Amino acid sequence: MSQSQMARATRQDDAEETVTTTESVQGVLDALDDEECRAILEATKQESLTAAEISEECDLPSSTAYRKIDLLDDADLLTEELRIRRSGKHVSEYACAIDDVTLSVGDSGVELSVSHTEPAVTDLANPFAD
């Protein structure tokens, strides 16, 4: 199990996170407001993809894909895992980390609730797929 999967498994008990700091709320809203970021979240919802695969799937230049991946990762909307290859050329792959986002405005200010996805099941019988 990768570090990212362990982090998600640890977070599983607290699958919903409430974001209240202005900077964090703005980071999530900025990422969700970006059409290319939304396309990446949709593309990585069913399967983890490398940056090159995201670039191809979403029809984005590589540099743009990496910038958007960083934006999504900073907002905790995307997770990064390591794809192990027999060749030794391991590569990062990314997966959508959220199921639901809810914005609330109340007496205590703006709150953003983010429901994180369940950790993906790893094929432990064949960790060197490829």
Side-chain angles (χ1 to χ4, degrees):
M1 184 180 287
S2 71
Q3 288 180 345
S4 186
Q5 286 173 323
M6 287 188 279
R8 273 205 235 158
T10 303
R11 189 170 52 198
Q12 189 174 14
D13 294 335
D14 185 25
E16 187 166 302
E17 171 189 5
T18 301
V19 179
T20 55
T21 64
T22 303
E23 183 178 309
S24 297
V25 169
Q26 192 60 53
V28 172
L29 293 176
D30 287 346
L32 293 175
D33 186 44
D34 187 294
E35 183 179 347
E36 292 163 337
C37 285
R38 290 192 310 270
I40 292 170
L41 289 173
E42 290 173 19
T44 58
K45 187 66 179 169
Q46 298 301 319
E47 65 179 325
S48 297
L49 299 173
T50 65
E53 292 166 341
I54 288 170
S55 176
E56 184 177 320
E57 178 78 21
C58 298
D59 196 25
L60 298 171
S62 290
S63 58
T64 301
Y66 278 106
R67 273 196 324 275
K68 302 303 178 174
I69 288 167
D70 286 343
L71 182 63
L72 289 164
D73 187 45
D74 290 346
D76 202 25
L77 301 177
L78 203 64
T79 60
E80 180 179 359
E81 299 175 8
L82 188 61
R83 184 181 291 178
I84 307 292
R85 294 185 173 165
R86 287 186 189 272
S87 67
K89 294 182 180 180
H90 310 316
V91 64
S92 292
E93 62 182 12
Y94 305 90
C96 179
I98 59 167
D99 283 324
D100 189 48
V101 176
T102 306
L103 180 68
S104 304
V105 180
D107 294 336
S108 59
V110 175
E111 287 187 358
L112 195 69
S113 298
V114 180
S115 297
H116 292 276
T117 60
E118 298 291 323
V121 177
T122 304
D123 182 5
L124 296 176
N126 187 12
F128 295 104
D130 254 347

